Amino acid sequence: MLENIFVDAANWLRNFLASINLPVFAVDFVLLIVKLVAILVFVLLNVMWLVYMERKVSAAFQCRIGPNRNGPFGLFQILYDVLKLISKEVILPAHADKKLYLLGPLLIFIPPMAVFAIVPMGQGMASIDLNLGLYYFVAIASINTILLWMAGWASNNKYSLLGGMRAVAQMVSYEIPLLLALVGIVIVTGTLNINTIVDAQKGIWLIFLQPLAFIIYFISAMAESNRAPFDLVEGESEIISGPYTEYSGMGFAFFFLAEYANLLVMAIMTTTLFLGGWLAPFGWTFIPSWIWFMLKVYLVIWVTMWIRWTFPRIRVDHLMEFAWKFLVPLAIVNILLTGLAKYFFGM
């Protein structure tokens, strides 16, 4: 099984590095680099597939065909898009803060990459096992807000600035109900360790114990990852392309692909926290754990695409009201009900 190969390969590499008399810190450093490269390859391959998948899903919902000319089933279309973006010139606005302007698209991939390091993709397939994994996830995921604001401000463009301000307002607002929804999980499982949270779902998945928390988390995570109908960071009718307006070529491509990386993070964390992670449903353990994990992840992604191509973008004032007047009070009610259930029934 792949999970056994993953563990065996890591152990073999550790033993090999130790056998050539490398210091312990050097062995750990090399292993960390190898894991990060593996995560990067995994993320890039999935992001490329998600771009193709979104086109096909949207075509199906709109009674179109989607990519079908370049390669079998149009699979080469994404490669041609990458070549097109690489060949485009990166234009620097004359009055932009050039250092921050160029750093924005380079740093935007760091938060999702850092989150992948703690997620168990299968049984024993977490690169790093942190006792405060859930706290780490929340802290790292919040960095995107700063990067979008930095890109919008550094562009020295009023549309970009307004887009950056929208990003900050939206993401900060929806982080609060998202955090409050996670409190219910901590109350039920009694831990912040991601692997322990998955193990706690062997009897019943948390989506059944925390249905209200799941709905709040799912909506907030979609808003955090800038998915329609919550894609107010980028509104063509009033702020052009928001904080991305002045970016061209690979600069825009990094922001575009980072949205799909964040979508993947959202689906992976939803699967891990509410859908049992790599645990097999119905006791079907004959299928490897990593296959179950990826099937659940892509089911969540398909649902988000279904929502995107079904509902129109909502107004920015309605977006903010929904977070503060509905999701936050509901999340607080969920914490109260979960605490009472834990106290009286030992849930």
Side-chain angles (χ1 to χ4, degrees), residues 86-250:
I86 290 174
S87 64
K88 285 183 177 291
E89 180 183 1
V90 176
I91 300 173
L92 291 174
H95 301 290
D97 187 323
K98 293 182 174 55
K99 291 182 180 178
L100 294 181
Y101 176 86
L102 294 173
L103 275 176
L106 295 177
L107 298 179
I108 198 69
F109 259 104
I110 291 179
M113 288 289 297
V115 170
F116 281 114
I118 64 164
V119 177
M121 303 290 182
Q123 188 172 7
M125 292 180 66
S127 297
I128 301 172
D129 186 13
L130 291 180
N131 287 330
L132 297 176
L134 193 58
Y135 180 82
Y136 170 89
F137 158 66
V138 171
I140 293 297
S142 303
I143 297 176
N144 270 339
T145 308
I146 301 172
L147 298 178
L148 289 177
W149 166 247
M150 182 179 75
W153 180 84
S155 297
N156 194 30
N157 175 295
K158 62 182 179 181
Y159 297 110
S160 301
L161 180 62
L162 288 173
M165 293 171 65
R166 273 194 180 182
V168 172
Q170 174 180 326
M171 298 176 79
V172 169
S173 297
Y174 278 87
E175 276 175 11
I176 295 175
L178 186 146
L179 290 173
L180 294 175
L182 296 180
V183 173
I185 293 178
V186 176
I187 294 174
V188 172
T189 60
T191 182
L192 292 171
N193 186 288
I194 300 292
N195 286 287
T196 308
I197 290 174
V198 174
D199 289 334
Q201 299 179 69
K202 287 182 177 178
I204 182 172
W205 294 354
L206 286 175
I207 188 175
F208 301 112
L209 292 178
Q210 290 283 291
L212 183 57
F214 169 75
I215 294 171
I216 295 169
Y217 174 86
F218 188 73
I219 294 173
S220 301
M222 285 187 63
E224 283 282 294
S225 56
N226 193 31
R227 295 291 297 178
F230 305 101
D231 55 337
L232 270 295
V233 174
E234 182 178 359
E236 298 92 339
S237 60
E238 66 274 12
I239 56 171
I240 317 299
S241 191
Y244 320 133
T245 300
E246 293 289 353
Y247 285 92
S248 60
M250 285 306 295

Side-chain angles (χ1 to χ4, degrees), residues 275-295:
L275 301 180
W278 45 264
L279 297 174
F282 314 118
W284 293 352
T285 54
F286 58 90
I287 299 177
S289 61
W290 63 273
I291 292 181
W292 278 123
F293 184 82
M294 293 309 298
L295 285 175

Side-chain angles (χ1 to χ4, degrees), residues 178 235 269 315:
L178 186 146
M269 293 307 298
R315 264 172 35 189

